[in-house]
Amino acid sequence: MAKQMRSRVFKRGHSWVADVRLPGGRRVRRAAGSRLDAEQLADQLQAGSVPTTQSPTVKALCEAMLTRQHIRSKPASVATAGYSLKPVLEYLGKVDAAQLTAANVERFIAWRLETVSRE
């Protein structure tokens, strides 16, 4: 007998959330504006017709941080941050942020120590 997928709809703050457990045990949550939208979204998730979203890349998160810093900080601070992030983006820019691990960071640090000239 096939295992039944579980789903529920609940309110969190001002949003309604569709919470679905997919085959294989993977849990997917998506926010919606109304209870009806959340119920429809839960049905779509169970049917597999709504694609799951990917996490942003490290590059996208760094760009968002620089954009925010550009609004709130002095231009020299933004320039320094952009300069400092260049090696991070070169090494880790294409990595999904959700997939970033301590091992990735340790490899980046080792790579960076090899590439930086020490005087």
Side-chain angles (χ1 to χ4, degrees):
M1 181 176 198
K3 189 173 183 178
Q4 182 73 17
M5 287 188 282
R6 294 186 345 214
S7 70
R8 68 186 183 120
V9 173
F10 60 93
K11 190 166 186 175
R12 176 175 288 159
H14 296 288
S15 298
W16 285 87
V17 178
D19 184 7
V20 178
R21 182 82 56 182
L22 299 176
R26 184 164 172 237
R27 185 178 191 180
V28 179
R29 289 182 176 177
R30 296 287 182 271
S34 69
R35 182 181 181 136
L36 180 61
D37 291 342
E39 288 171 351
Q40 290 173 348
L41 187 57
D43 292 340
Q44 290 173 345
L45 285 168
Q46 283 184 339
S49 62
V50 176
T52 57
T53 58
Q54 279 189 316
S55 68
T57 61
V58 171
K59 181 180 179 181
L61 292 178
C62 289
E63 288 172 351
M65 183 203 71
L66 286 174
T67 301
R68 183 178 179 149
Q69 189 174 18
H70 180 67
I71 294 168
R72 297 179 177 213
S73 300
K74 294 180 181 179
S77 297
V78 176
T80 300
Y83 178 78
S84 298
L85 284 174
K86 280 186 180 181
V88 174
L89 294 175
E90 180 182 340
Y91 193 85
L92 296 170
K94 294 181 182 179
V95 175
D96 283 342
Q99 304 299 321
L100 190 64
T101 63
N104 294 116
V105 175
E106 292 296 328
R107 284 192 296 272
F108 165 73
I109 292 170
W111 172 80
R112 188 67 183 138
L113 290 173
E114 291 173 5
T115 59
V116 174
S117 62
R118 294 186 174 209
E119 296 178 13

